Structures are given as C-alpha cells and as structure tokens.
Amino acid sequence: MEKRNDMSKLEWTIKLIIIVAGSVVAAYGITLALYAGFGGATLAVLWQGISKTFHVSIGMASMIVAIVMIVFAFFYDRSQIHIGTILYQIVYSLCVDLFANAHVYSTHIWVNALIMLFGIVLFAIGTGFYAAASLGRGSYEALTFSLAEKNNWQVKIVRMVLDVVMVVTGVMLGGKFGICTIVTILISGPVIQFTAAKTKKLICVACGNDRSDI
C-alpha cells in the first residue's frame, strides 16, 4: 500500500511539472505566431480584439476569456474542470505577457512566415504536453465538451460553431484574422494528438507502470 501511495505522489508531481512546462511552451509558441504579422489563432483573434477595445494586455485578455469559459463550464458541467485547468491558464496567461516583447522578427515576409509556423507547432506541442497530464481540460476545451456532452451534440460541430463565434467577435472588436488563424486550425490538431500520445507513454515509463489512462 505504501508503494502505491508513493507511486501516486510521483505521478501527481510529474503531471504538475508537465502542465507547467506545457503551459510555458504553448505560451511562447502562441506569442511567437501572434506577433509575426499574419493574424492570430482562433482565440488569439478574440484576445486581440479585447486587448484593443478595453486596453488590456494580451495575457490579461486571455485570462478574462478563460475565466468566463471556466465559470460557465463549472456550473454547466463541472466534471470538465480540474486543477490542471486552473494551473495551465494561470501559467499560460502570465507567460503570454512575459513573452510578448521577447521575439525578434525579420524584414522578410517569408522568414516571419516560418517563425509563425514554428510558433504554431510549439503551441501545439505545449498543448499536447498539458493534455497528456489528464488533470482537467483547458478552458476552451471545457466549454466545448460541456456543451457537446450535456446536449448530445457532436464535439466537432460545437467546436466549429465556437471557432466562428470567437473569430467573428474578435474581428468586430478589432482583432486580426489571417493566415495564422487558418494554419493553426489545420495543423495544431494532429500535432497535439501526436504529442499527447507520446507524452502519456513517457509518463507511464517515468512512473514505472504501463498504464495508458493516467
């Protein structure tokens, strides 16, 4: 029994470390892509709009959006919320502001396009790390799944509708829709899925077991 408790503590520690690491990587990636000049990812368009309209930082805008989504999910379907949901968002939003002015771009569009692509991949990898910990969904995912599961709607349909709402609202507030928005939608899913699967296996190895559901 003592060994089981120690193993549980080890898994818990590893997952928290992975969540924090994933949050930092995802935040760096999204800011790298966001400031490359090709628009923002789906939620980033909304963050831009809120930032311009209410004169707050991008990180604060992301936190405001996340809080609204988390509060909704908590009262609508609180099973989607766990400690990872809160930890990820706090670290992520703080790091978005921290990294906002830490990038160097080129005068050549094609170089900035590569930087944007690299940022999107980093964002997806960081998100995959976080997802592998399985300690609650991110704010946007919590909103998506709470609506889908409570109403027996298809997740992909709910996500598509929400994406449209976020982008349109963001553009109306002054956010920028662009190539980054489209590329993020196209490539982030596969990268997140691949990274999450590999990271889960690493967690199993690190914890000394072969479970795939941790």
Side-chain angles (χ1 to χ4, degrees), residues 54-204:
F54 299 101
H55 307 290
V56 297
S57 68
I58 291 291
M60 179 58 68
S62 72
M63 180 67 79
I64 292 170
V65 172
I67 289 174
V68 172
M69 291 180 176
I70 291 171
V71 169
F72 176 86
F74 179 79
F75 287 104
Y76 199 71
D77 182 10
R78 66 186 60 186
S79 65
Q80 307 293 339
I81 308 298
H82 203 287
I83 186 173
T85 308
I86 309 301
L87 179 60
Y88 172 84
Q89 194 58 55
I90 292 174
V91 176
Y92 181 79
S93 294
L94 290 175
C95 286
V96 164
D97 277 344
L98 180 65
F99 295 138
N101 299 312
H103 310 308
V104 177
Y105 296 97
S106 170
T107 55
H108 301 289
I109 294 179
W110 68 270
V111 174
N112 290 337
L114 290 177
I115 294 174
M116 176 202 71
L117 183 61
F118 179 62
I120 293 172
V121 172
L122 278 182
F123 164 73
I125 290 173
T127 303
F129 287 158
Y130 159 74
S134 301
L135 286 178
R137 302 187 188 278
S139 57
Y140 198 18
E141 286 67 37
L143 174 63
T144 302
F145 280 85
S146 62
L147 287 171
E149 293 177 359
K150 281 289 187 177
N151 297 284
N152 293 317
W153 295 336
Q154 293 186 49
V155 172
K156 63 180 181 180
I157 300 300
V158 174
R159 188 53 172 259
M160 288 173 61
V161 171
L162 287 175
D163 281 347
V164 171
V165 171
M166 299 302 162
V167 171
V168 171
T169 303
V171 170
M172 291 176 64
L173 291 173
K176 184 179 179 182
F177 174 86
I179 297 174
C180 182
T181 315
I182 299 172
V183 175
T184 302
I185 293 173
L186 292 177
I187 73 173
S188 61
V191 175
I192 291 171
Q193 182 175 340
F194 176 82
T195 303
K198 294 298 183 181
T199 304
K200 282 186 177 182
K201 291 182 180 179
L202 290 176
I203 293 175
C204 292

Side-chain angles (χ1 to χ4, degrees), residues 9-21 87 129-130 132-135 203 207 211 213-214:
K9 290 178 182 178
L10 176 61
E11 291 175 1
W12 184 260
T13 301
I14 290 174
K15 287 182 177 182
L16 290 180
I17 291 173
I18 287 176
I19 289 173
V20 172
L87 179 60
F129 287 158
Y130 159 74
S134 301
L135 286 178
I203 293 175
C207 295
R211 291 166 53 197
D213 61 341
I214 62 175

